[in-house]
Amino acid sequence: MFFNLFATFFKIGAFTFGGGYAMLPIIQRELVETKELISEEEYMDAIALAQASPGSVALNTSIYVGYRIKGFGGAVASALGSILPSFIIILLIAVYFFRFRNNAFVDSIFMGIRPAIVALILSAVYKMWINSRKTYIKLFSSIATVLLVVFTGLNPIWIIVIGALSSVIYHRLYWPFEENKER
Protein backbone atom coordinates (compact mmCIF):
# COMPACT_ATOMS: atom_id res chain seq x y z
CA MET A 1 0.00 0.00 0.00
CA PHE A 2 2.91 2.40 0.67
CA PHE A 3 4.14 2.02 -2.91
CA ASN A 4 0.58 2.44 -4.19
CA LEU A 5 0.24 5.72 -2.29
CA PHE A 6 3.66 6.88 -3.49
CA ALA A 7 2.89 5.96 -7.12
CA THR A 8 -0.55 7.60 -7.04
CA PHE A 9 0.79 10.88 -5.72
CA PHE A 10 3.87 10.71 -7.96
CA LYS A 11 1.50 10.47 -10.94
CA ILE A 12 -0.54 13.40 -9.61
CA GLY A 13 2.60 15.39 -8.80
CA ALA A 14 3.89 14.98 -12.35
CA PHE A 15 1.15 17.41 -13.46
CA THR A 16 2.35 20.34 -11.38
CA PHE A 17 1.68 23.08 -13.90
CA GLY A 18 -0.46 25.63 -12.15
CA GLY A 19 0.33 24.49 -8.64
CA GLY A 20 -1.88 22.78 -6.09
CA TYR A 21 -5.23 24.19 -7.19
CA ALA A 22 -4.72 22.97 -10.76
CA MET A 23 -4.01 19.53 -9.30
CA LEU A 24 -7.28 19.32 -7.35
CA PRO A 25 -9.37 17.76 -10.15
CA ILE A 26 -6.61 15.20 -10.78
CA ILE A 27 -6.41 14.37 -7.07
CA GLN A 28 -10.19 14.06 -6.87
CA ARG A 29 -10.39 11.79 -9.93
CA GLU A 30 -7.57 9.51 -8.75
CA LEU A 31 -8.47 9.24 -5.06
CA VAL A 32 -12.26 9.32 -5.14
CA GLU A 33 -13.36 8.07 -8.55
CA THR A 34 -10.61 5.80 -9.88
CA LYS A 35 -8.99 4.19 -6.82
CA GLU A 36 -11.81 4.86 -4.34
CA LEU A 37 -9.31 5.43 -1.53
CA ILE A 38 -11.56 8.02 0.12
CA SER A 39 -15.16 9.18 -0.21
CA GLU A 40 -16.25 12.43 -1.82
CA GLU A 41 -17.06 13.85 1.62
CA GLU A 42 -13.63 12.87 2.97
CA TYR A 43 -12.06 14.54 -0.07
CA MET A 44 -13.96 17.78 0.63
CA ASP A 45 -12.81 17.63 4.27
CA ALA A 46 -9.21 17.02 3.14
CA ILE A 47 -9.32 20.05 0.84
CA ALA A 48 -10.78 22.25 3.58
CA LEU A 49 -8.11 21.13 6.04
CA ALA A 50 -5.35 21.44 3.43
CA GLN A 51 -6.36 25.00 2.59
CA ALA A 52 -6.50 26.01 6.23
CA SER A 53 -2.99 24.65 6.84
CA PRO A 54 0.23 26.36 5.81
CA GLY A 55 1.82 25.02 2.64
CA SER A 56 0.69 23.70 -0.72
CA VAL A 57 -2.88 22.47 -0.91
CA ALA A 58 -1.78 19.46 -2.99
CA LEU A 59 0.98 18.47 -0.56
CA ASN A 60 -1.25 18.96 2.48
CA THR A 61 -3.98 16.88 0.85
CA SER A 62 -1.51 14.09 0.05
CA ILE A 63 -0.25 14.05 3.64
CA TYR A 64 -3.81 13.96 5.02
CA VAL A 65 -4.90 11.16 2.69
CA GLY A 66 -1.73 9.13 3.26
CA TYR A 67 -2.11 9.45 7.03
CA ARG A 68 -5.81 8.61 6.85
CA ILE A 69 -5.12 5.43 4.87
CA LYS A 70 -1.84 4.11 6.29
CA GLY A 71 -0.79 6.30 9.23
CA PHE A 72 2.56 8.08 9.47
CA GLY A 73 4.23 5.87 6.85
CA GLY A 74 1.40 6.55 4.42
CA ALA A 75 1.75 10.29 5.01
CA VAL A 76 5.50 10.11 4.26
CA ALA A 77 4.99 7.96 1.13
CA SER A 78 2.26 10.27 -0.17
CA ALA A 79 4.26 13.41 0.58
CA LEU A 80 7.36 12.06 -1.18
CA GLY A 81 5.29 11.01 -4.17
CA SER A 82 3.77 14.47 -4.32
CA ILE A 83 7.05 16.38 -3.92
CA LEU A 84 9.47 14.37 -6.04
CA PRO A 85 8.07 15.17 -9.52
CA SER A 86 8.02 18.89 -8.73
CA PHE A 87 11.56 18.73 -7.43
CA ILE A 88 12.78 16.94 -10.55
CA ILE A 89 10.94 19.31 -12.91
CA ILE A 90 12.18 22.43 -11.09
CA LEU A 91 15.72 21.05 -11.08
CA LEU A 92 15.59 20.42 -14.83
CA ILE A 93 14.12 23.84 -15.50
CA ALA A 94 16.77 25.51 -13.36
CA VAL A 95 19.55 23.68 -15.19
CA TYR A 96 18.25 24.20 -18.75
CA PHE A 97 15.99 27.27 -18.64
CA PHE A 98 18.69 29.83 -19.32
CA ARG A 99 19.52 28.11 -22.61
CA PHE A 100 15.95 28.39 -23.88
CA ARG A 101 14.44 31.39 -22.06
CA ASN A 102 14.40 33.59 -25.19
CA ASN A 103 13.20 30.82 -27.52
CA ALA A 104 9.91 31.71 -29.26
CA PHE A 105 8.80 28.06 -29.27
CA VAL A 106 9.24 27.72 -25.49
CA ASP A 107 7.45 31.05 -25.03
CA SER A 108 4.54 29.74 -27.12
CA ILE A 109 4.34 26.59 -25.01
CA PHE A 110 4.00 28.63 -21.81
CA MET A 111 1.37 30.88 -23.44
CA GLY A 112 -0.66 27.74 -24.21
CA ILE A 113 -0.26 26.30 -20.72
CA ARG A 114 -1.67 29.39 -18.93
CA PRO A 115 -5.30 29.04 -20.14
CA ALA A 116 -5.22 25.31 -19.44
CA ILE A 117 -4.18 26.05 -15.86
CA VAL A 118 -7.04 28.52 -15.43
CA ALA A 119 -9.44 25.88 -16.78
CA LEU A 120 -8.13 23.25 -14.34
CA ILE A 121 -8.58 25.62 -11.40
CA LEU A 122 -12.13 26.53 -12.50
CA SER A 123 -12.88 22.83 -12.95
CA ALA A 124 -11.78 22.17 -9.36
CA VAL A 125 -13.99 25.00 -8.08
CA TYR A 126 -16.96 23.72 -10.09
CA LYS A 127 -16.57 20.12 -8.87
CA MET A 128 -16.21 21.25 -5.26
CA TRP A 129 -19.33 23.40 -5.57
CA ILE A 130 -21.38 20.64 -7.19
CA ASN A 131 -20.34 18.13 -4.50
CA SER A 132 -20.85 20.43 -1.53
CA ARG A 133 -24.01 20.71 0.51
CA LYS A 134 -25.41 23.93 -0.91
CA THR A 135 -27.17 26.49 1.25
CA TYR A 136 -27.86 30.18 0.81
CA ILE A 137 -25.37 31.05 3.54
CA LYS A 138 -22.62 29.08 1.75
CA LEU A 139 -23.47 30.78 -1.53
CA PHE A 140 -23.41 34.20 0.14
CA SER A 141 -20.12 33.37 1.89
CA SER A 142 -18.54 32.24 -1.38
CA ILE A 143 -19.60 35.36 -3.27
CA ALA A 144 -18.54 37.63 -0.39
CA THR A 145 -15.14 35.93 -0.23
CA VAL A 146 -14.53 36.36 -3.96
CA LEU A 147 -15.53 40.03 -3.77
CA LEU A 148 -13.28 40.64 -0.75
CA VAL A 149 -10.27 39.02 -2.40
CA VAL A 150 -10.74 40.68 -5.79
CA PHE A 151 -11.78 44.19 -4.77
CA THR A 152 -10.30 44.91 -1.33
CA GLY A 153 -6.90 43.26 -1.45
CA LEU A 154 -7.63 41.75 1.95
CA ASN A 155 -5.08 39.10 2.87
CA PRO A 156 -6.54 35.60 2.31
CA ILE A 157 -5.32 34.55 5.75
CA TRP A 158 -7.72 37.04 7.32
CA ILE A 159 -10.54 35.73 5.17
CA ILE A 160 -9.83 32.17 6.35
CA VAL A 161 -9.74 33.31 9.99
CA ILE A 162 -12.98 35.28 9.55
CA GLY A 163 -14.60 32.26 7.85
CA ALA A 164 -13.54 29.91 10.63
CA LEU A 165 -14.75 32.25 13.37
CA SER A 166 -18.02 32.91 11.54
CA SER A 167 -18.62 29.18 11.21
CA VAL A 168 -17.94 28.60 14.92
CA ILE A 169 -20.29 31.43 15.88
CA TYR A 170 -22.96 30.24 13.42
CA HIS A 171 -22.82 26.65 14.66
CA ARG A 172 -22.80 27.68 18.33
CA LEU A 173 -25.67 30.17 18.10
CA TYR A 174 -27.86 29.19 15.14
CA TRP A 175 -27.32 25.47 14.66
CA PRO A 176 -28.76 24.27 18.03
CA PHE A 177 -32.02 26.09 17.28
CA GLU A 178 -32.27 24.42 13.89
CA GLU A 179 -31.80 20.99 15.46
CA ASN A 180 -34.53 21.72 18.04
CA LYS A 181 -36.96 22.75 15.26
CA GLU A 182 -36.60 19.32 13.65
CA ARG A 183 -37.57 17.52 16.88
Side-chain angles (χ1 to χ4, degrees):
M1 182 51 102
F2 292 118
F3 180 76
N4 187 20
L5 285 169
F6 175 83
T8 299
F9 281 102
F10 189 90
K11 177 182 171 186
I12 292 167
F15 297 95
T16 57
F17 293 107
Y21 292 106
M23 293 169 64
L24 291 179
I26 299 166
I27 294 171
Q28 191 262 345
R29 185 178 60 242
E30 282 295 311
L31 299 179
V32 178
E33 296 170 12
T34 304
K35 298 198 177 205
E36 296 179 352
L37 294 175
I38 58 173
S39 69
E40 187 69 45
E41 189 167 312
E42 288 174 306
Y43 174 72
M44 297 293 286
D45 291 343
I47 296 300
L49 184 61
Q51 288 181 339
S53 304
S56 159
V57 69
L59 177 61
N60 290 345
T61 302
S62 70
I63 291 170
Y64 173 84
V65 170
Y67 187 82
R68 166 83 175 71
I69 293 171
K70 207 66 177 154
F72 182 76
V76 170
S78 298
L80 287 175
S82 208
I83 292 169
L84 216 52
S86 299
F87 177 76
I88 293 167
I89 290 169
I90 302 262
L91 184 62
L92 291 172
I93 289 172
V95 169
Y96 294 105
F97 182 70
F98 286 108
R99 290 185 191 170
F100 302 106
R101 69 178 171 197
N102 294 325
N103 185 309
F105 180 72
V106 172
D107 213 23
S108 296
I109 289 171
F110 281 109
M111 291 299 284
I113 289 173
R114 288 181 190 139
I117 291 167
V118 171
L120 285 172
I121 293 169
L122 291 175
S123 169
V125 169
Y126 174 76
K127 283 185 177 182
M128 288 176 67
W129 178 253
I130 291 300
N131 293 319
S132 69
R133 290 183 229 130
K134 295 171 207 65
T135 63
Y136 286 115
I137 193 149
K138 287 180 183 177
L139 177 62
F140 172 77
S141 299
S142 299
I143 293 169
T145 300
V146 168
L147 294 174
L148 283 171
V149 170
V150 172
F151 294 111
T152 68
L154 187 63
N155 189 320
I157 293 171
W158 288 114
I159 293 173
I160 291 169
V161 169
I162 291 168
L165 291 174
S166 299
S167 180
V168 168
I169 291 168
Y170 172 80
H171 285 93
R172 292 277 183 184
L173 298 178
Y174 182 71
W175 192 265
F177 296 114
E178 287 297 309
E179 287 179 352
N180 289 335
K181 283 182 185 178
E182 293 175 8
R183 290 182 190 163

